[in-house]
Structures are given as C-alpha cells and as structure tokens.
Amino acid sequence: MRRKLLVGNWKMNKLNSEAKEFAIASVPFAALAKKNNIDIGVCPTYLSLATVKEFASKDMIVGAQNCHFKESGAFTGEISIPMLKELGIDWCLIGHSERRTYDNETNEKCNLKIKALIANDMVPLYCVGETLAEFEAGDTKKVVGAQVREGLADLTSEQVKDLVVAYEPVWSIGTGKNASSQIAQDICSFIRETLRDMFGDVADGIRILYGGSVKPVNVKEYLSCPDVDGALVGGASLKIDSFEELVRNIL
Ligand code: PEP
C-alpha cells in the first residue's frame, strides 16, 4: 500500500521570515495529515531549509530543490549533500524541468545526483516530463522513458525502493493548463511499467506523483487515479491556506 504524498515546491519564493511563518502555521495540519496516513512536505530555498526544519512539525518532510553530486570542492554557488544532511534534510528534488531548462540538468547529471543521494540515505524526488513540442509530436513516452531509464541507470531494486518519481509535463507547470487526469494516469502507469522492467516488483511500492497546475479544486481527481500516489505542487503550495486545502481535499 503506497502512502499518499503531497509535496510543495516553493522554487525561488519566500523570504526566510515568510518561510518561518508558514512552517509554524503548518504544524496543526501536518498532524492531521499524519493521522490520515498522508505524507506532506515542502521544498524551500536553501536559505530557509534550517528555519523550516526547526519550526515545522517533525512530521513535515523538508526537502532541498537541488544538490551537487560531489561532497565538496571548487564548485562556486553549489551545495553538497553533507551540507544538507547536517541540517537534517533527507529529501531532495532532482531534475525539475526548470533546472533542466535553465541549468542544463541532463539525465546523466540527474543520475549522478540520485546515486549520491541514495548513497547518503537520502530520498531523491526525481522529476520527469515532456515539453509542449514533445507532447504535440506524440513523443511523451519516448522522452519520459529515457528520463527514467537514464536518470535511474546503474541502480539496484534495493536502492530505488524509497525513491519518488514525479511526472510533470512541462507545458502544465505554472501555466494553469492541466494535463487531464487520464493523461496523468497513462503516463504514471507507463512510468511504473518502466520501473518494473528495470527493477522488478519493487515498482509496486515506488510512489509516483503528478505535478502541473495542481490546485485544491483538482487535487482529488488526480489522486483518484490508481497510479498517481500524490502531487508535486508549485503555485498552490505557497499560501498556507491553499496548502492546507490541498491536504484537506485528499483526506
Ligand atoms: C512545480 O513547480 O513542480 C509545479 C508543478 O508548479 P505548479 O504547481 O505551479 O504548476
């Protein structure tokens, strides 16, 4: 039985003071989520990770939005996995489409980061998804299949069992243009079959999220799809009321 999972990606939003306010306000509904067997989490900027970790409920997953695959060295502007671990951070987004688009995050680079996270007992939340041009060309499965196979290359079934994958069609992120729940189900099911081909039955326990303009009004529809285990949410995770409504709507 896969537990439902709702993760907010704050991107480059919120001052540290605002992150603290959110963390404090989220404590009661983190307890509600736990009581209902739902995992919830947020991915603040690096600068707010320690604050959110300190003030949010211990039941709130706190994840980074990126990391470097090397432990240390001459990589100006980067943050390493040991730096995250020292703050108690044990989740990290990898391969978000904005990083793929603006920061040359390739499947190969994602693979290095995922391997480094797993070697450090951290949970990678690996994002995959096609662009609008790829969707319109009918290449969704080709693109997503390659992202899954290359991003998760050289890993064992034991290593991937706690990993989470998020299917986020690029054309639906921050655009208000949702993929239908049918598309979300089809591609999440395709991802699960790809995982099964690579890792065997462990694929049945791997959580797969949908992301792309998820709002309180549509979250339930996505989560009612058999292969959609939760949501990765950008815009609607920024306001405490809307995040709480997302949680309440999937109880
Ligand atoms: C995201 O950033 O991963 C995302 C899905 O954003 P939004 O919910 O705003 O489309």
Side-chain angles (χ1 to χ4, degrees), residues 9 11 96 98 168 172-175 211-215 232-235:
N9 171 18
K11 313 190 187 195
H96 190 278
E98 286 148 18
E168 300 204 300
S172 73
I173 297 179
T175 58
S213 298
V214 173
K215 308 281 178 222
L232 180 57
V233 186

Side-chain angles (χ1 to χ4, degrees), residues 109-139:
K109 221 194 249 181
C110 291
N111 181 246
L112 291 171
K113 294 180 181 193
I114 290 170
K115 286 198 272 199
L117 286 165
I118 291 173
N120 281 281
D121 297 319
M122 287 180 61
V123 180
L125 200 172
Y126 180 43
C127 306
V128 298
E130 80 287 4
T131 62
L132 182 60
E134 291 161 344
F135 174 73
E136 287 177 344
D139 285 339

